[in-house]
């Protein structure tokens, strides 16, 4: 019996190694595929918990920055309008803080996302100091742009951590959308410079305008290259609009050393920024609508592959057990035959020969 158990144990040991390797390989493949699917399915949680509020915060920061610029230039914007813009910004900040720190959102965020989110909160906490400089008349157009830009740039870096899928196409479209939104923000910074300086830019402001123009052109071209036809359509339409071309002409004039009438600038720039905002938000909705079905498709493939792999593993185990039993039985029979031959037949045959 001990010998029989030893034979079964040795055979089982030989079979366990490849079976364990097969199970491990199946588990790795299933977890990898399912992980990608669940990452895509987390998009809705991250979108509603962070991206929506963050994008609205960028928009409200733009409006507050513009109201501050109008106030600096001595325009018609009163303290009430500026206070209302700041109140809207604070409201979105509270919403972002609450939603981003919820348990569901935190569970969906990676370590890098959480770290960059803390940077966003830290930059937003500087709003009190920025506003105080405006109220005290100690702000310049260039510094106003730079101070608000630090918050917006932190948000765009946050977007860069949202690598939610290894799907190359979706990843490319997401990068294209981020580039388009960055181009919108850069144009709004140029808008702020013109308004805050009342159309007559100082040398430092003109230098910043040139840097912004180079970055904006790069991001806008990148967005139109990476986005596909459907997602690119709003930006192609915008690029060909008379208002966009007029705004571009005014920027060229400013960079050449000229000034621009604020009323003429706003007649073209305001509609462009409005269309730009609508285009980025609509494109974001379209991209989100694509990600959810993609996640479900990957999850379906993961389930099918997992089930088929599990069936294959179970079948392999079943066959291995059956073969092991047959081999053990045959070896047991062989053992008994050998014992019978060694202990009974051979001794009996020898005794008969001596007799």
């Amino acid at each position: 019996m001990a010998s029989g158990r030893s034979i079964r144990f040795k055979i089982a040991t030989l079979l366990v190694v490849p079976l364990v390797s097969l199970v491990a390989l199946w588990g790795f493949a299933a977890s990898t595929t399912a992980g990608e699917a669940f990452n895509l399915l987390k998009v809705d949680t991250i979108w509603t918990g962070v991206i929506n509020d963050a994008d609205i915060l960028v928009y409200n920061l733009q409006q507050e920055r513009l109201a501050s610029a109008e106030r600096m230039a001595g325009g018609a914007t009163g303290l009430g309008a500026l206070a209302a813009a700041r109140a809207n910004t604070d409201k979105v900040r509270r919403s972002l803080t609450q939603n981003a720190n919820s348990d569901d959102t935190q569970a969906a965020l990676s370590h890098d996302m959480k770290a960059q989110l803390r940077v966003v909160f830290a930059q937003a906490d500087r709003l009190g100091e920025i506003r105080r400089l405006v109220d005290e008349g100690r702000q310049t157009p260039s510094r106003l742009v730079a101070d608000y830009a630090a918050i917006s740039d932190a948000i765009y870096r946050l977007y860069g951590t949202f690598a939610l899928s290894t799907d190359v196409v979706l990843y490319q479209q997401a990068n294209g959308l981020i580039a388009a939104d960055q181009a919108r923000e850069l144009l709004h910074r140029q808008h702020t410079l013109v308004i805050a300086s009342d159309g007559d830019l100082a040398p430092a402001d003109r230098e910043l305008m040139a840097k912004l123009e180079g970055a904006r052109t790069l991001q806008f071209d990148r967005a139109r290259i990476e986005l596909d036809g459907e997602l690119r359509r709003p930006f192609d339409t915008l690029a060909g609009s008379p208002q966009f071309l007029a705004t571009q002409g005014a920027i060229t004039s400013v960079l050449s050393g000229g000034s621009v009438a604020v009323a003429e600038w706003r007649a073209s720039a305001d509609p462009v920024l409005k269309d730009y905002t609508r285009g980025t938000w609509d494109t974001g909705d379209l991209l989100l609508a694509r990600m959810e079905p993609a996640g479900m498709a990957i999850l379906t493939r993961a389930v099918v592959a997992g089930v088929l792999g599990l069936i294959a593993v179970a079948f392999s185990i079943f066959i291995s057990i059956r073969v092991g039993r047959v081999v053990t039985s045959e070896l047991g029979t062989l053992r008994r035959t050998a014992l019978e031959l060694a202990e009974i037949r051979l001794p009996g045959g020898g005794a008969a020969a001596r007799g």
Side-chain angles (χ1 to χ4, degrees):
M1 291 298 293
S3 179
R5 285 196 298 270
S6 177
I7 291 173
R8 286 195 296 271
F9 176 77
K10 291 176 181 178
I11 292 175
T13 301
L14 291 174
L15 294 175
V16 161
V17 174
L19 285 176
V20 169
S21 300
L22 180 61
V23 171
L25 182 62
W26 167 78
F28 174 77
S31 63
T32 301
T33 307
E36 180 184 349
F38 284 120
N39 277 342
L40 279 171
L41 294 178
K42 287 191 296 187
V43 169
D44 186 62
T45 299
I46 295 177
W47 202 282
T48 56
V50 178
I51 297 179
N52 267 346
D53 286 330
D55 200 33
I56 296 173
L57 178 58
V58 170
Y59 173 79
N60 279 277
L61 287 170
Q62 291 170 350
Q63 303 311 303
E64 179 181 330
R65 182 176 58 199
L66 179 59
S68 300
E70 292 170 337
R71 186 68 181 170
M72 289 170 55
T77 300
L79 291 176
L82 180 56
R86 291 174 175 177
N88 289 336
T89 299
D90 291 339
K91 180 180 179 180
V92 178
R93 281 182 63 194
R94 290 191 295 270
S95 178
L96 173 61
T97 302
Q98 179 179 351
N99 292 331
N101 288 323
S102 68
D103 292 340
D104 290 343
T105 303
Q106 286 293 307
L109 297 177
S110 68
H111 175 75
D112 290 342
M113 295 175 189
K114 293 176 182 177
Q116 187 56 39
L117 187 60
R118 289 192 292 270
V119 174
V120 171
F121 291 150
Q123 289 294 339
D125 287 341
R126 296 182 55 249
L127 273 173
E129 176 187 352
I130 298 171
R131 292 167 177 173
R132 185 169 56 255
L133 290 174
V134 172
D135 295 340
E136 295 175 356
R138 297 191 293 119
Q139 192 66 281
T140 66
S142 295
R143 184 173 178 179
L144 178 70
V145 169
D147 285 346
Y148 279 96
I151 306 173
S152 299
D153 287 343
I155 291 175
Y156 288 120
R157 287 194 295 271
L158 174 65
Y159 292 164
T161 64
F162 294 153
L164 300 173
S165 173
T166 56
D167 187 300
V168 176
V169 175
L170 289 177
Y171 183 74
Q172 178 181 352
Q173 301 309 301
N175 280 338
L177 178 59
I178 292 172
D181 201 43
Q182 286 179 306
R184 175 188 67 149
E185 162 64 11
L186 291 167
L187 179 59
H188 208 287
R189 294 177 191 179
Q190 293 176 306
H191 186 51
T192 300
L193 283 174
V194 173
I195 300 302
S197 62
D198 200 25
D200 189 12
L201 279 69
D205 301 333
R206 205 180 304 275
E207 181 180 353
L208 178 57
M209 173 72 85
K211 293 179 180 178
L212 293 173
E213 179 63 12
R216 182 183 67 85
T217 301
L218 177 65
Q219 293 294 351
F220 191 64
D221 291 344
R222 176 189 169 196
R224 296 175 69 190
I225 290 173
E226 294 192 349
L227 293 173
D228 62 31
E230 181 184 19
L231 300 181
R232 189 178 63 244
R233 188 174 298 116
F235 308 109
D236 287 342
T237 301
L238 179 67
S241 68
Q243 293 87 354
F244 186 88
L245 296 176
T247 302
Q248 189 64 56
I251 292 173
T252 301
S253 176
V254 169
L255 295 180
S256 299
S259 59
V260 58
V262 173
E264 294 179 5
W265 167 267
R266 299 203 70 157
S268 61
D270 284 343
V272 167
L273 288 168
K274 182 178 179 180
D275 291 342
Y276 220 141
T277 299
R278 184 185 303 111
T280 53
W281 288 357
D282 290 347
T283 301
D285 290 340
L286 287 173
L287 184 59
L288 178 61
R290 291 185 185 183
M291 286 183 175
E292 292 172 340
M296 290 303 299
I298 294 175
L299 184 58
T300 300
R301 292 198 298 269
V303 171
V304 172
V307 170
L308 292 178
L310 186 59
I311 291 174
V313 170
F315 182 73
S316 299
I317 294 175
F318 173 75
I319 293 298
S320 299
I321 292 174
R322 289 295 301 271
V323 170
R325 287 178 176 175
V326 171
V327 172
T328 301
S329 176
E330 291 177 350
L331 288 176
T333 301
L334 179 62
R335 172 178 170 276
R336 288 191 296 272
T337 301
L339 289 173
E340 181 181 353
L341 179 63
E343 296 177 359
I344 300 176
R345 294 183 181 181
L346 289 179
R354 286 193 300 271

